[in-house]
Amino acid sequence: QVQLVESGGGLVQAGGSLRLSCAASLASGRSFSTYSMGWFRQAPGKEREFVSGANWSGSSKYYADSVKGRFSISRDNVKTTVYLQMNSLKAEDTAVYYCAANHVQPTGVMSPRDMDYWGKGTLVTVSS
C-alpha cells in the first residue's frame, strides 16, 4: 500500500551535512497524511535503531538522544516526502538509513517492530 524510496546518502567528512529524502508512493485512495513517518539506521553488526520520527502532520517530532540538536526531520504531505537533515555528522552516524511508515501516532521513540512499511535504505558513510 505504501512504497518508500530513500535517497541522499553518500560519503561525507565528519562535521559535514547531508539531507536524506524518502519519497512515498501510495495506493489509490491512500493519504500520506495518515501515516506517521520514522527514520531508522543500522550500522554493521548492530541492531536497527530509531533516529527520528514525525506524526501525521509533522507537528510532533521525536529524536534519539544521540542525534538531538544535530538532526532535523520534516515532511511535505503534498509532495509525500519526508526529509532528514543531518548536521555535524560524526563517524558513529555511519549506517544504512531507512525510512518507515505506520498508521500509529507516535508519542516518542518509535520501535522498528511497530513499523509497517520500509524503504530499502540509503548508505551514509562519515569519514573521520
Side-chain angles (χ1 to χ4, degrees), residues 1-100:
Q1 294 179 345
V2 180
Q3 292 185 329
L4 303 172
V5 179
E6 303 93 338
S7 62
L11 175 64
V12 63
Q13 288 188 334
S17 298
L18 281 175
R19 188 194 195 203
L20 305 184
S21 299
C22 172
S25 298
L26 292 94
S28 178
R30 299 289 179 176
S31 173
F32 183 67
S33 61
T34 65
Y35 290 89
S36 295
M37 299 299 298
W39 284 98
F40 298 79
R41 66 186 181 187
Q42 189 165 17
K46 295 189 177 181
E47 293 186 352
R48 193 168 298 187
E49 64 176 4
F50 170 77
V51 174
S52 181
N55 69 344
W56 297 350
S57 66
S59 60
S60 295
K61 303 175 182 181
Y62 307 93
Y63 299 94
D65 288 343
S66 59
V67 306
K68 279 181 182 176
R70 300 188 298 122
F71 290 11
S72 178
I73 190 172
S74 61
R75 61 185 294 165
D76 186 329
N77 286 349
V78 174
K79 295 183 178 179
T80 65
T81 300
V82 62
Y83 305 96
L84 185 69
Q85 178 67 43
M86 306 187 296
N87 299 326
S88 302
L89 283 161
K90 305 175 181 180
E92 51 264 42
D93 295 318
T94 295
V96 177
Y97 284 71
Y98 300 89
C99 71

